[in-house]
Amino acid sequence: MKATIETQGRQFIVTEGDVIFVNRYKDTQAGDTVTLDKVLCVGEGAETKFGAPYVDGASATATILENKRDKKVIIHKMHRRMGYRRTRGHRQELSVIKIESINA
């Protein structure tokens, strides 16, 4: 069964057993369970249910595999002919989650 879920302002098309990377869930650790109740679409073929905006009673259950940080992104700023040069870096906090079940 497929589902389109929304979490933290982003949408994902998932099936049971999928592993996805999302922004880190605060106050969680590896092994915790998260319920994703913002389901936009669930089902396959003729049995597909669409929400307006969310499907009533539908949810997905996910387990957090790990919390980690993404690769570093380097930001360069420069104004020509002024001697202005800045270099900054950023590493995004991520949660790796596995979709355990989809409840329609």
Side-chain angles (χ1 to χ4, degrees), residues 9 13-14 16 45-46 48 55-56 58 77 84 86-88 90 96:
I13 299 173
V14 295
E16 291 181 4
T48 305
V55 178
D56 292 332
K77 295 182 180 182
Y84 177 84
R86 300 288 183 266
T87 302
R88 301 284 306 240
H90 174 76
V96 181

Side-chain angles (χ1 to χ4, degrees), residues 36-90:
L36 308 168
D37 56 351
K38 292 184 178 180
V39 178
L40 302 165
C41 170
V42 65
E44 288 188 67
E47 301 172 0
T48 305
K49 296 179 188 174
F50 296 96
Y54 305 116
V55 178
D56 292 332
S59 65
T61 305
T63 302
I64 296 178
L65 300 179
E66 67 175 319
N67 290 320
K68 66 179 196 172
R69 297 177 78 189
D70 202 5
K71 295 179 183 176
K72 182 172 269 197
V73 177
I74 304 295
I75 297 101
H76 297 285
K77 295 182 180 182
M78 188 183 102
H79 294 179
R80 64 182 190 167
R81 294 191 298 267
M82 294 182 198
Y84 177 84
R85 289 183 175 85
R86 300 288 183 266
T87 302
R88 301 284 306 240
H90 174 76

Side-chain angles (χ1 to χ4, degrees), residues 3-4 6-8 11-12 15 17 21 23 33-34 38-40 42 54 63 65 70-71 81 86 93 96-97 100 102:
T4 303
E6 179 181 336
T7 179
Q8 301 165 335
Q11 295 178 6
F12 299 92
T15 58
F21 296 88
N23 291 334
T33 303
V34 178
K38 292 184 178 180
V39 178
L40 302 165
V42 65
Y54 305 116
T63 302
L65 300 179
D70 202 5
K71 295 179 183 176
R81 294 191 298 267
R86 300 288 183 266
E93 299 274 336
V96 181
I97 64 172
E100 299 294 337
I102 298 172

